[in-house]
Amino acid sequence: MKALRSIIPNNYKTPRSCLYSNNHLLGSRLFSTAYATEIARRTQKKLSKRRIFWAVGAAVGAGAITLWDDVQHAAEAVQRSSRVLQALVTNMYDYRSTLRYEGDEGRRQANLKACHQRCADRTLRVLEKNGSIYIKLGQHLSSMNYLLPLEWTQTFVPLQDKCPVSTYEAIEAMFVADTGQLISSHFDDFDQEPIGAASLAQVHLATMKDTGLRVAVKVQHPALQEWVPLDLALTRFTFAMLKYFFPAYNLDWLSNEMEQSLPQELNFALEGSNARRTRRHFSLIRDCPLVIPDVIWGRKRILVMEYIAGHRIDDLPYLDANRIDRDEVSAALARIFNEMIFGDNCSLHCDPHGGNIALRYNGLRRRHNFDIILYDHGLYREIPLQLKRDYAKLWLAVIDADENSMRKYAHRVAGILDEQFPLFASAITGRDYRAVSRSVVSARSKEEKEVISSAMGEGLLQQLVQLLGQGETLPKLPARETRRLMSKFPVVPRIILLILKTNDLTRSLDESLKTRAGPVRNFMILARYCSRTIFQEQVEVIRSQGSTLWPRNMFRLFAAWTSYVRIEAKLVIYEWYIFVRRIARFLGFSSSARA
């Protein structure tokens, strides 16, 4: 046995010991697996609890942050509203207390002027603190010296140059929010300092990636989106209260205009669409020098356009240095804006001031040696077809000095009554009513300019705005009686305000250009558009009554065509006359060509 054991390895186990050992090992392994499973289960449970804890904590934290943001927003909204309401109530109380004074008239006027200044100062502080659209509102009011007291308009003048500038970081965040990409993803370089800033937006220069095109990037002030709805509601409420307590200063129409136009002005995608449509329309007109920057792409708050720089239209040294004919510039402007008013499928640019129009030399054009650049296409209005036709008939009556027809179509166009007609006629022509009834085509004399300026200063424009806003100027009556009477007068369509504004622009630019031809040529261009509009209407009426081959219809069509061709021929002859004069000046016959 000893010999047998001597040859068996020490680690050899008997079957019984092997069985015992294997069972023990198996049990150990089963125990270890169960234990590990239990440990894993408990660990998973702990992890699940932790995850739930952290998830709940994160949700509570996010909710608290969101709630805090909402609380902050609500607090600022209350603060903005309270500023407006406090200023409104204080100003109204100040005015009512001042107007109760019935003593010496000189003292009364002095008290009223002091009250104007106090109220204007309070309002200015509110406009500056609230910012947003209040800056734009203040800029509007500062130019209304024909309606508001001088203390108000002069106090608001600093707002013309007080446009907010958004930081580059805020612009970058808006790019990410609106496009999902950084500014550097769109442009090789982007000038962080804007080349221009306004109450609603600012413009930066940049270079497009890949193409290298130099572009102007118009970006909306990011803070506007948060406060515009509240600010519009506060503006509407303020003007409604002013109208109720002080009917003589009815600015309700300005509030309505802002509510209608501001959402369109804040939609830069719409502005891009307007620019493309207008560019396409004028590209089909032969020899038209209008240039509209090409739109590369646009979003609601971002617009990327071709960068085109130019000089002011009335930069006379630039025009003379580049041998640009002032008469041709004036005539081109007249054609462009008359096309917007009378052209088929064309809309009217609603903000045609000198800052939105520029000029540059272009020696490659066949007829003109200049381009007229039109910016800011955020707001356009469609003119109803019948209004176009009645307005055309009104102007032909004005040009022909036919007062009866003038009165007839002034009523159709704007609901103007006979007693209101002299005021309206002076407003649309910029002429003394006596000149309108004789010949509006003649140049304004120095005496007439002084008469019109004096009339403007004595309240003609104030009467006009009241006429356009609600009705004619009424005698001094209690507020309730004044509101009752004013409600009976017809309200002139808002589109007429825009047309009058366009007329005033072309008239003022023509005078600032110091053209040799005077207003004759521009009136001839206007007459051409009016006669074409009326001719189209006559053809439409004739065709609605049967075939144009019927003898009666043929005669009517021929008469309409003759009337149209008569005005067209006059303009063609006049254009040739101007061309000959220009050639004579070029050849040195200045004495024979002098106007």
Side-chain angles (χ1 to χ4, degrees):
M1 181 65 76
K2 288 181 180 179
L4 183 61
R5 286 181 178 174
S6 64
I7 62 173
I8 297 175
N10 291 330
N11 59 355
Y12 177 76
K13 296 180 179 179
T14 62
R16 172 177 285 218
S17 64
C18 286
L19 181 61
Y20 172 79
S21 176
N22 287 339
N23 287 339
H24 176 73
L25 182 61
L26 180 62
S28 298
R29 285 177 179 172
L30 287 173
F31 172 77
S32 299
T33 304
Y35 180 73
T37 302
E38 179 64 18
I39 293 298
R41 187 182 67 78
R42 291 180 181 178
T43 303
Q44 185 67 30
K45 189 174 181 181
K46 287 182 179 180
L47 288 174
S48 297
K49 288 181 178 179
R50 287 179 183 175
R51 286 173 183 166
I52 293 171
F53 173 78
W54 285 113
V56 171
V60 171
I65 293 172
T66 303
L67 182 61
W68 177 246
D69 287 343
D70 289 342
V71 169
Q72 282 186 313
H73 178 84
E76 190 168 349
V78 169
Q79 194 175 35
R80 294 172 73 86
S81 303
S82 63
R83 288 192 198 112
V84 173
L85 297 177
Q86 183 179 2
L88 175 63
V89 171
T90 306
N91 286 352
M92 290 175 63
Y93 178 78
D94 199 348
Y95 270 113
R96 291 181 76 86
S97 300
T98 303
L99 292 173
R100 284 198 188 103
Y101 179 79
E102 296 180 354
D104 178 66
E105 181 61 24
R107 178 69 181 273
R108 183 177 185 277
Q109 289 299 323
N111 290 345
L112 187 58
K113 287 175 70 68
C115 179
H116 286 328
Q117 191 61 58
R118 289 193 302 271
C119 294
D121 290 337
R122 289 189 201 103
T123 306
L124 178 65
R125 288 193 292 270
V126 173
L127 298 182
E128 289 178 331
K129 286 181 180 179
N130 279 7
S132 182
I133 67 170
Y134 291 102
I135 300 295
K136 188 176 183 69
L137 176 63
Q139 291 170 348
H140 272 303
L141 296 175
S142 70
S143 63
M144 295 176 66
N145 54 354
Y146 48 82
L147 180 62
L148 297 178
L150 193 63
E151 291 79 11
W152 281 85
T153 56
Q154 287 186 341
T155 301
F156 290 164
V157 164
L159 292 175
Q160 295 287 356
D161 301 318
K162 198 178 183 65
C163 293
V165 176
S166 299
T167 64
Y168 178 77
E169 291 73 21
I171 299 299
E172 177 90 84
M174 188 175 71
F175 257 85
V176 173
D178 289 11
T179 69
Q181 294 178 312
L182 297 171
I183 290 177
S184 57
S185 302
H186 298 277
F187 309 105
D188 280 332
D189 68 84
F190 185 94
D191 294 353
Q192 295 192 16
E193 291 297 321
I195 60 171
S199 55
L200 303 182
Q202 60 193 50
V203 178
H204 296 258
L205 291 182
T207 303
M208 295 291 294
K209 276 191 174 295
D210 303 327
T211 64
L213 179 67
R214 196 67 172 159
V215 294
V217 184
K218 183 177 180 179
V219 291
Q220 193 177 119
H221 294 305
L224 282 174
Q225 191 175 43
E226 184 178 9
W227 297 115
V228 162
L230 174 64
D231 293 344
L232 278 176
L234 288 172
T235 303
R236 181 172 62 251
F237 175 78
T238 299
F239 286 147
M241 291 296 99
L242 287 175
K243 177 183 176 181
Y244 184 83
F245 288 102
F246 304 102
Y249 291 99
N250 176 18
L251 295 177
D252 216 19
W253 61 271
L254 180 58
S255 172
N256 295 336
E257 189 67 29
M258 286 187 67
E259 271 197 88
Q260 184 177 359
S261 63
L262 198 62
Q264 297 178 48
E265 291 186 84
L266 292 176
N267 187 350
F268 291 176
L270 176 62
E271 179 176 349
S273 176
N274 290 338
R276 290 190 183 101
R277 186 177 71 249
T278 307
R279 178 187 173 101
R280 187 165 54 247
H281 179 89
F282 280 93
S283 68
L284 302 176
I285 300 176
R286 189 179 65 178
D287 295 330
C288 180
L290 181 64
V291 172
I292 294 175
D294 190 21
V295 175
I296 311 302
W297 59 267
R299 299 287 188 275
K300 188 171 182 180
R301 297 191 291 172
I302 304 168
L303 186 64
V304 181
M305 305 163 287
E306 174 188 14
Y307 175 59
I308 303 178
H311 293 255
R312 286 184 59 89
I313 286 285
D314 56 359
D315 187 349
L316 302 184
Y318 176 79
L319 269 64
D320 296 341
N322 289 276
R323 301 180 67 86
I324 296 174
D325 194 316
R326 303 176 189 182
D327 288 326
E328 291 303 312
V329 173
S330 175
L333 285 169
R335 291 191 185 95
I336 289 167
F337 286 106
N338 277 302
E339 177 66 27
M340 288 184 174
I341 293 173
F342 297 106
D344 296 331
N345 302 316
C346 193
S347 302
L348 178 63
H349 190 292
C350 291
D351 197 16
H353 59 76
N356 284 339
I357 307 172
L359 182 140
R360 69 176 180 181
Y361 173 78
N362 184 354
L364 301 178
R365 287 192 178 276
R366 185 180 64 178
R367 180 175 177 180
H368 307 290
N369 64 339
F370 59 86
D371 293 329
I372 292 177
I373 310 162
L374 186 61
Y375 305 111
D376 194 358
H377 302 271
L379 194 58
Y380 276 75
R381 290 285 170 82
E382 303 284 344
I383 303 177
L385 180 59
Q386 191 55 51
L387 180 59
K388 285 184 183 182
R389 291 172 172 176
D390 289 336
Y391 187 66
K393 293 170 185 174
L394 170 62
W395 264 111
L396 284 184
V398 170
I399 293 171
D400 291 337
D402 183 351
E403 185 170 338
N404 289 332
S405 295
M406 279 190 260
R407 290 177 180 273
K408 173 184 175 181
Y409 290 108
H411 181 70
R412 283 196 189 179
V413 165
I416 300 300
L417 305 177
D418 281 344
E419 59 269 24
Q420 301 164 341
F421 174 75
L423 170 66
F424 184 74
S426 295
I428 66 171
T429 61
R431 304 294 302 270
D432 184 353
Y433 167 67
R434 291 166 294 181
V436 174
S437 59
R438 293 194 303 270
S439 175
V440 77
V441 177
S442 60
R444 294 201 303 177
S445 65
K446 182 179 179 181
E447 292 75 18
E448 185 186 347
K449 289 181 182 179
E450 290 176 355
V451 167
I452 286 293
S453 298
S454 175
M456 296 299 181
E458 291 171 3
L460 185 147
L461 271 177
Q462 180 175 351
Q463 295 174 47
L464 174 65
V465 172
Q466 289 176 341
L467 171 66
L468 294 175
Q470 185 66 43
E472 68 173 14
T473 304
L474 296 172
K476 201 167 186 181
L477 295 170
R480 184 173 299 176
E481 183 67 13
T482 302
R483 286 192 296 273
R484 185 185 67 80
L485 289 176
M486 292 181 78
S487 65
K488 294 183 178 181
F489 288 95
V491 178
V492 175
R494 295 271 75 76
I495 191 69
I496 295 297
L497 273 175
L498 299 174
I499 293 175
L500 292 178
K501 185 177 180 181
T502 303
N503 286 345
D504 187 61
L505 169 80
T506 54
R507 187 164 50 242
S508 63
L509 285 177
D510 183 65
E511 291 189 348
S512 64
L513 285 169
K514 297 180 171 58
T515 57
R516 292 175 297 273
V520 178
R521 190 182 189 188
N522 287 351
F523 276 118
M524 292 292 291
I525 293 170
L526 172 61
R528 167 187 270 179
Y529 276 93
C530 292
S531 62
R532 185 184 69 182
T533 301
I534 295 171
F535 175 66
Q536 290 171 344
E537 180 187 20
Q538 291 172 330
V539 170
E540 184 180 306
V541 171
I542 292 169
R543 286 178 175 170
S544 69
Q545 295 178 355
S547 172
T548 55
L549 298 177
W550 291 357
R552 182 169 176 270
N553 284 348
M554 285 183 65
F555 177 77
R556 294 173 62 195
L557 182 62
F558 178 75
W561 178 80
T562 302
S563 177
Y564 169 67
V565 169
R566 177 175 58 87
I567 295 176
E568 189 75 16
K570 284 183 180 180
L571 184 58
V572 170
I573 293 171
Y574 192 76
E575 293 280 356
W576 273 103
Y577 169 67
I578 291 174
F579 176 74
V580 171
R581 289 178 61 185
R582 191 162 60 244
I583 294 297
R585 279 196 306 273
F586 180 76
L587 294 177
F589 301 113
S590 57
S591 60
S592 61
R594 187 175 293 118

